[in-house]
Amino acid sequence: MNGAPVRLTPLTARLLVRLVAAEGQAVTARRLYRDVWQQTVELPRQELRNRNEVQKRILELRRAFDLAGPGHGARIIRTGQLPSGHGIQSTYQLDLTEAELDSTEFTRLVGDALRAAPASAVRLLAEALRLWRDRPLPEVHGEEFASAPVRRLTRLRETALRELIDGHIALGRYDLALPVAEQRVLERPDDPEAAAVLAGLNARIRARYGGELLRHTLGGLRVDVAVVRGDLFDQEDANLVVGFSDTFDTFADDVVISRESVQGQLVDRLFEGRHRLLDDKLRRGLGEFTPLATESVRAKRRGRRVRYPVGTVVAVPVGRRRVFALAYSRLGNDLRARSGPDDLRLSLERLWPSVARHGLFKPVAIPLIGAGLSRIVELDRTQLVLLIVETFTQSLRQDPAVCPELRIVLRTDDLERTDLSAVEAFLRGAGERGPASPPAVLR
């Protein structure tokens, strides 16, 4: 009582459950004795003794309820009389408020939810299901007097689960609907309707997330880091990061630039194959940077000859978004691109301030920079992803509004060699140790 457990003798506890199963109806002492003591044969002159046994248990119950306050026992267990062929019979009735009896509160909450709008219904149904403890009336499970209330409560719970799933779906919260649907299938493995709902939910989630493999919201910030399988140029809602060499070449001739590289695809996918359009935008953007050196025609026979510092970032406008051209490698005069972990780290550290300044606060999608022809062999795929994530989380300390989402786009062959569990572990730890802490593997 008052939050403290009260011990009842087994017969008294069984009598209480019998009154609960009556759902507010009065029950005669004769019927209580038959159901609780499971009497099968009535002996002569036994009725008075039986009635006394019932009265003793009723008195024990009232004393237990009185622990919540004087008079509670008499209020909660009411005594009445019922004329019958055997004379006047004593009756007992459990009179509990909704707040005092879980099954009544459960019934009310589900009923209210069925008449409510989805957001309110979800709240009410979740509150109702929190009251559920295994199966109803387990102390008398299988007995005839308990079958009707048990059946009613069980069906009401099934309704609550089904309505909770529908409510989450109506609110677009498929991730919250999924465990409820899985629970229904676990409890009802032969129910085709439950299986169909679960299959439909899984299909919706797959369609919503597409190739998304990992998503983590950084603690304290409304900033997501996601890893997706797919094509960088299919990320139409995001700004893009494309790696360049220090000469910012654009002509994909399979000598200076490979047509299969991200840099090579950029002209075809976003500039209709006209590399001079990209050249013009790069030239305007590079106007604010001081060149590092200019190669002679004799030293460098193909490609551009003006070099810019590694870490130079040019925000190229493409419609309503930006392509961040990031110089993270040096193109030798032998036309081989070379870069290393320090070059990549420096370039990424300079990328994020440019994204914050020019990115229009859109999501930013970045490929696995360093895994291609720049030949950063010192770092494996997992370390490359971690370096991208680390520098991004560090940048948030200086400017928490860099972008709402960092999206790392992996090709299938890169994904097979990337340990996303290590990336997830780093992201979880970043919330605990602060965004500026680097992963040990990169030091």
Side-chain angles (χ1 to χ4, degrees):
M1 292 297 165
N2 291 330
V6 175
R7 286 189 175 276
L8 299 174
T9 60
L11 275 175
T12 305
R14 185 175 168 83
L15 178 65
L16 175 60
V17 175
R18 176 62 184 89
L19 290 172
V20 170
E23 299 188 296
Q25 299 300 310
V27 185
T28 64
R30 177 193 293 269
R31 184 60 184 264
L32 286 172
Y33 188 86
R34 187 179 68 185
D35 290 343
V36 174
W37 278 261
Q38 298 183 314
Q39 180 188 29
T40 57
V41 178
E42 288 194 24
L43 300 175
R45 294 180 295 278
Q46 184 72 25
E47 185 172 347
L48 180 59
R49 184 181 297 177
N50 294 351
R51 187 167 63 246
N52 289 338
E53 284 292 324
V54 171
Q55 290 173 344
K56 284 167 54 179
R57 307 299 172 181
I58 292 292
L59 182 59
E60 183 183 345
L61 276 178
R62 282 176 171 158
R63 286 173 177 168
F65 285 124
D66 279 340
L67 295 175
H72 275 62
R75 176 187 68 79
I76 292 173
I77 302 180
R78 298 186 178 276
T79 302
Q81 291 184 329
L82 178 70
S84 72
H86 299 279
I88 301 298
Q89 292 193 56
S90 296
T91 63
Y92 299 97
Q93 177 183 4
L94 203 62
D95 186 12
L96 291 168
T97 65
E98 288 180 355
E100 292 173 324
L101 187 61
D102 282 356
S103 60
T104 306
E105 177 73 354
F106 175 78
T107 301
R108 182 192 67 80
L109 286 168
V110 176
D112 289 349
L114 294 176
R115 297 183 292 273
S120 298
V122 164
R123 176 182 58 80
L124 291 167
L125 292 167
E127 187 178 343
L129 289 167
R130 279 195 293 271
L131 298 173
W132 194 267
R133 300 289 186 272
D134 195 20
R135 57 190 180 185
L137 307 179
E139 300 87 350
V140 292
H141 185 75
E143 299 203 26
E144 181 182 354
F145 66 81
S147 60
V150 167
R151 186 165 54 250
R152 181 185 66 80
L153 289 169
T154 301
R155 289 177 177 172
L156 194 59
R157 178 174 177 270
E158 292 171 2
T159 298
L161 290 172
R162 186 170 58 250
E163 291 294 323
L164 183 57
I165 293 170
D166 290 345
H168 283 314
I169 291 174
L171 297 172
R173 298 305 306 270
Y174 306 133
D175 51 335
L176 296 181
L178 184 62
V180 185
E182 290 173 338
Q183 182 179 351
R184 284 192 69 211
V185 170
L186 185 65
E187 295 175 359
R188 305 171 62 86
D190 298 324
D191 184 347
E193 185 266 339
V197 169
L198 178 59
L201 266 174
N202 280 318
R204 287 189 184 207
I205 289 173
R206 284 194 298 271
R208 184 178 72 174
Y209 286 109
E212 187 170 292
L213 305 167
L214 170 65
R215 177 171 291 276
H216 180 87
T217 301
L218 294 170
L221 301 170
R222 287 183 292 179
V223 178
D224 284 1
V225 176
V227 179
V228 303
R229 177 201 290 114
D231 185 328
L232 178 72
F233 296 101
D234 288 339
Q235 315 305 311
E236 296 180 355
D237 63 326
N239 295 321
L240 308 182
V241 177
V242 177
F244 278 76
S245 69
D246 60 339
T247 55
F248 285 92
D249 284 278
T250 61
F251 182 50
D253 57 357
D254 283 333
V255 178
V256 179
I257 300 174
S258 168
R259 289 187 176 90
E260 296 181 357
S261 67
V262 175
Q263 187 181 352
Q265 294 177 56
L266 173 61
V267 173
D268 287 335
R269 300 288 293 274
L270 297 187
F271 292 91
E272 300 177 343
R274 295 181 291 176
H275 71 92
R276 296 193 185 280
L277 288 177
L278 176 56
D279 284 341
D280 290 342
K281 294 188 176 187
L282 283 172
R283 190 176 297 110
R284 286 195 291 270
L286 287 168
E288 64 180 84
F289 297 97
T290 302
L292 191 63
T294 302
E295 300 287 351
S296 66
V297 175
R298 181 175 181 180
K300 189 173 185 290
R301 295 185 178 278
R302 303 189 68 159
R304 291 187 167 185
R305 298 177 178 87
V306 179
R307 297 188 180 278
Y308 291 86
V310 166
T312 300
V313 186
V314 180
V316 177
V318 181
R320 296 184 177 181
R321 55 181 178 156
R322 301 290 183 267
V323 172
F324 290 91
L326 175 65
Y328 74 100
S329 66
R330 296 176 180 83
L331 185 65
N333 290 343
D334 58 359
L335 304 183
R336 286 184 59 186
R338 295 172 174 85
S339 187
D342 291 340
D343 293 328
L344 182 55
R345 176 181 290 278
L346 172 65
S347 301
L348 290 169
E349 288 173 345
R350 293 185 177 176
L351 167 66
W352 307 123
S354 181
V355 170
R357 180 182 177 188
H358 302 289
L360 308 174
F361 202 61
K362 291 179 178 288
V364 59
I366 184 171
L368 194 58
I369 283 183
L373 294 176
S374 58
R375 300 176 176 88
I376 303 181
V377 296
E378 297 91 341
L379 302 178
D380 61 26
R381 264 60 173 180
T382 302
Q383 291 171 312
L384 289 171
V385 174
L386 285 170
L387 184 54
I388 293 170
V389 172
E390 178 216 332
T391 56
F392 176 72
T393 57
Q394 283 182 332
S395 73
L396 298 177
R397 174 160 291 184
Q398 282 72 46
D399 187 347
V402 172
C403 65
E405 177 185 325
L406 168 63
R407 190 180 307 162
I408 303 171
V409 184
L410 299 182
R411 300 178 303 179
T412 299
D413 56 343
D414 288 326
L415 176 61
E416 293 171 352
R417 290 177 281 179
T418 304
D419 180 8
L420 292 185
S421 63
V423 179
E424 184 181 29
F426 171 70
L427 287 168
R428 287 200 311 269
E432 299 171 2
R433 60 181 177 257
S437 299
V441 70
L442 298 176
R443 294 299 189 195

